[in-house]
Every structure is written in C-alpha cells, then in structure tokens.
Amino acid sequence: MRTTVGIIGAGPAGLLLARLLHNAGIDSVVLETRDRAYVEQRQRAGILEQGTVDVLREAGVAARMDRDGIPHDGIELRFDRRRHRVDFPALTGGRSVMVYAQTEVCKDLIALQLAAGGPLLFEAEALAVEGAETESPRIRFRHQGREDVLECDYVVGCDGSWGVARKAVPADVSRVFERTYPFGWLGILADVPPSHDELVYARHDRGFALLSMRSPTVTRAYLQVPAGTDAADWSDEEIWDELDRRLETDDRSWTLKRGPVTAKSVTPMRSYVHEPMRHGRVFLAGDAAHIVPPTGAKGLNLAVGDVVTFARALVDLRETGSDARLEAYSATCLRRVWQAERFSYAMTTMLHRAPEATPFDDRIQLAQLDRITTARSAETDLAEGYTGFPLD
C-alpha cells in the first residue's frame, strides 16, 4: 500500500487530520488498532474550545455538534462558600466553548471518512515506523491476520502515549518533561439532569470537585481522590454526599440533583511533553507528544491544534513549494502546548488540595481565586486560556 500521509490512530486527532487532508485533495490512510465499536464508545473529554468548534465547522463535520452540543458562555468557580461566574464572551471578545463529547466527535468523523474519505482500517495494529529520516517512511502493521507495509511521504502518529510513532524519534534527540500528581479524579456519569447550566469548579478543604454534563439529561461529575483509588471503594451515596459537601455555598437557592450512577472510574493526573514533536518525516500529534491534567479541558483541543498545524503546513508546501512550515511544525505546536500545560498546571494547583498542603498553601489558593474574582486582568487570563489559544 502507498499513500501521501500515513496516520496511526483513529482518535479525534487522526480522524480530523484525515478529513482536513481529504478536503484539501491530499490522500491518506488511517490505521487503528481497535475495532470501530471500541473507538465509538470510549469516554474521553467533552469540552471543545472555540477554535476546535470553528475547525469542525470548516471541515464540514459539525451538523450534529451544532444540533446536539451545548454552548457554554462561562464557568462557575466555588471557594470559601462563595460563587463566582466567569463570563467568557465578555472577557474574550465573544469566544465560548461547546459541551460535546469526544465520543460523538469520533462517531461523526468516522461516518464521514467511511462515506467519503480515504481508507480507514480498524483492527490494524501498527508494529513499527521505519525510515523516518528518508523521503519514504513506512509503517509496518498487522491487519486481518497478516503483516503489511504502508509506504508514505509522511507519517503522523496520533497513537497516544504508548504508541509506536514516538519510538521513531531516537532516544538521543528526545527530551521528556513530566509531572505526576498525587491525586486523581473519581468520575461518574449519572442519569439525572445537570444541577447547573454551566460547569462548576470547586476548591474545598476536602479536595476539588467538578460538576459537568454530557447532555441535558446526563450529569458528569468528578471528585479529587488520592492516586491509586479504586472507584469500587466509593458507593454511589458516598459520592453524592461528598459532591454535596464540596459544592456547598452560602447560597441556599442551589441544590445538587441526584440520580442513578451508570458509570464510575478514576482518572490519573499527569503532565507530559515530548520534544521534539517531529523527526525527519514522522510527526507526533496529541497524546503521542503531550498529556495535560484534565482540569483545563485541553487534551482534545491540543490534538486538534497539532493536526491543523500539520495540514496547513502540507497545503502550504503544495501551494508555495516551501517546506518552511513543515520544518517549523514542532516549534509551532510546542508554543501552544506549553501555554496549555501552564494553564492546566495553574488550574490544577489552584483548585486541588495536595496531601501535604499546609494552612499557608490553603491561603495562597484562596488568594489566587480571590484575585480572579476581583481583578479583570486575572479573570481575563483564565477566560482566554479556557476558551483556547490560537491554533497556528
């Protein structure tokens, strides 16, 4: 097999890249280790930045998102029994976010790719990426019980933190920056309408809590728990009780709605960046190059920024004959990545209580939150970071 761009991974990054390339008249092949049902069911992020929403609309894949997604013009911060709303459009010149699950984005992109796109091979396990420094890199993969080779002009690894694409970058040129946090998120899905019409981020002495949603009838909620916690150790009633405690304020007009819990899991918290994001003709995108804690809602959106940058660079090469933008891919993406890492780290450390936290640390967190509620510049920085940094 031969193609211009070999894409490893049919998550939102790989699928969106295939769509962007198809729309630009550039052929690609997508290889995905898992089957279609798995890809369309795995639960991931649900907040789309303004730039991501714009890209999906421009790519012609936004009809269902615009019908079923839930636009959000702000978030609510809760701390010290107080409530404060951050108004995104007023602080960012009109930007907002959209609640639309990554699972649904994948379903939309898969349907388009299979109906009008290049090959998308499920249960096609990428075994190795070879020839990164040549003009014809190749992907060895196994599909339908036999090994095959995909010859490419370029390889884009959207295969996550444990995929094979990153292994094509030699160890002597790789640099890794990471932080593991001593806590995780116990998350639930519940068949009950959301208790608030926007996301609520709560800082509490007992730990962080987040009230979110998947739809007008499904609540998504999270609690900070110690790293290594088993979700089975928490009963449904204990989870609702703890959410009640951490979300409580002096405003008695708000109450937490409870309902049947349909899913329960624990998400570890980690920051990770791999530099460079390109070696020869192999390019890394999404979790293959960087991971952020979910507090800032950046993971999916960073992946979108990566593939948009690559697609635009390849189109520029075709139109101008210059590969300058391809050469600058890693540096271009990393500027945005590090801003997102900064934002996610700041949100995480401001809202979560570390196991070794002292009264001084508590006061610093409260002072940070108070600053956001009293200084427009600080509130604007949060709103601009949350709604998204420029894609290119």
Side-chain angles (χ1 to χ4, degrees):
M1 296 178 67
R2 198 178 200 301
T3 190
T4 300
V5 181
I7 302 170
I8 308 175
L15 292 166
L16 178 59
L17 177 57
R19 175 54 25 188
L20 296 173
L21 295 175
H22 174 80
N23 290 349
I26 300 171
D27 61 293
S28 69
V29 173
V30 182
L31 305 176
E32 168 56 45
T33 299
R34 303 284 192 166
D35 61 24
R36 180 178 179 178
Y38 178 89
V39 175
E40 292 187 336
Q41 291 171 8
R42 56 187 169 192
Q43 294 293 325
R44 294 291 189 273
I47 304 295
L48 307 183
E49 295 174 354
Q50 182 70 64
T52 297
V53 170
D54 294 343
V55 166
L56 291 173
R57 287 172 177 158
E58 292 167 8
V61 68
R64 206 160 63 93
M65 177 193 72
D66 284 332
R67 185 191 71 208
D68 299 337
I70 308 172
H72 276 202
D73 286 338
I75 59 172
E76 182 173 289
L77 299 175
R78 295 191 183 185
F79 64 100
D80 203 23
R81 302 184 64 85
R82 296 160 54 189
R83 301 174 66 177
H84 177 81
R85 182 176 184 268
V86 179
D87 186 331
F88 292 156
L91 295 162
T92 64
R95 298 212 308 267
S96 60
V97 298
M98 179 81 75
V99 175
Y100 189 64
Q102 175 176 315
T103 307
E104 306 307 316
V105 174
C106 286
K107 288 177 183 176
D108 297 341
L109 286 165
I110 287 170
L112 260 182
Q113 185 72 7
L114 294 178
L120 167 54
L121 305 183
F122 290 105
E123 299 180 84
E125 180 187 5
L127 303 173
V129 177
E130 301 170 340
E133 299 176 2
T134 72
E135 293 185 356
S136 299
R138 57 198 172 273
I139 306 168
R140 286 196 297 106
F141 68 99
R142 183 182 295 111
H143 184 235
Q144 296 180 339
R146 67 182 183 88
E147 287 196 16
D148 206 339
V149 175
L150 178 62
E151 303 279 352
C152 317
D153 292 334
Y154 306 94
V155 172
V156 181
C158 305
D159 51 343
S161 57
W162 304 110
V164 301
R166 199 165 65 200
K167 297 175 183 176
V169 183
D172 60 347
V173 302
S174 296
R175 297 185 68 195
V176 170
F177 307 85
E178 61 185 325
R179 176 183 292 272
T180 301
Y181 298 87
F183 42 74
W185 278 11
L186 170 62
I188 63 166
L189 282 171
D191 284 338
V192 59
S195 301
H196 196 277
D197 56 2
E198 293 178 333
L199 272 67
V200 178
Y201 287 76
R203 185 268 171 205
H204 193 277
D205 286 344
R206 295 176 63 91
F208 169 76
L210 171 60
L211 196 60
S212 182
M213 64 194 68
R214 275 294 175 262
S215 75
T217 60
V218 177
T219 287
R220 185 73 157 147
Y222 300 92
L223 289 169
Q224 175 189 344
V225 293
T229 294
D230 186 342
D233 292 340
W234 284 71
S235 70
D236 296 356
E237 184 178 5
E238 286 173 329
I239 292 171
W240 288 120
D241 287 347
E242 191 63 22
L243 285 167
D244 242 338
R245 292 188 194 99
R246 299 187 192 184
L247 292 163
E248 187 177 24
T249 71
D250 289 334
D251 181 357
R252 300 296 183 181
S253 66
W254 180 88
T255 56
L256 178 67
K257 299 174 184 175
R258 302 185 179 211
V261 174
T262 59
K264 190 187 309 181
S265 63
V266 173
T267 301
M269 305 283 279
R270 183 182 178 213
S271 297
Y272 176 95
V273 179
H274 179 281
E275 296 185 4
M277 289 177 58
R278 169 190 175 237
H279 180 69
R281 292 202 172 195
V282 175
F283 298 75
L284 305 180
D287 286 0
H290 42 73
I291 296 169
V292 290
T295 324
K298 290 281 159 274
L300 165 61
N301 297 290
L302 273 183
V304 169
D306 296 342
V307 299
V308 167
T309 299
F310 176 81
R312 289 175 177 172
L314 202 56
V315 170
D316 188 67
L317 171 62
R318 183 184 64 188
E319 293 179 350
T320 70
S322 170
D323 64 356
R325 292 181 70 171
L326 276 176
E327 291 287 332
Y329 170 82
S330 183
T332 301
C333 290
L334 283 170
R335 281 194 295 272
R336 188 169 184 268
V337 166
W338 277 113
Q339 285 300 317
E341 292 282 355
R342 173 196 65 82
F343 177 77
S344 299
Y345 175 81
M347 289 283 285
T348 300
T349 55
M350 179 175 67
L351 293 166
H352 293 72
R353 195 169 193 276
E356 71 282 2
T358 66
F360 178 87
D361 298 324
D362 294 336
R363 290 293 187 179
I364 289 294
Q365 287 183 321
L366 293 174
Q368 290 174 309
L369 287 158
D370 187 64
R371 175 72 176 169
I372 290 169
T373 67
T374 57
R376 188 175 178 85
S377 59
E379 190 175 20
T380 298
D381 185 62
L382 187 154
E384 288 179 342
Y386 200 96
T387 56
F389 303 103
L391 289 181
D392 205 31

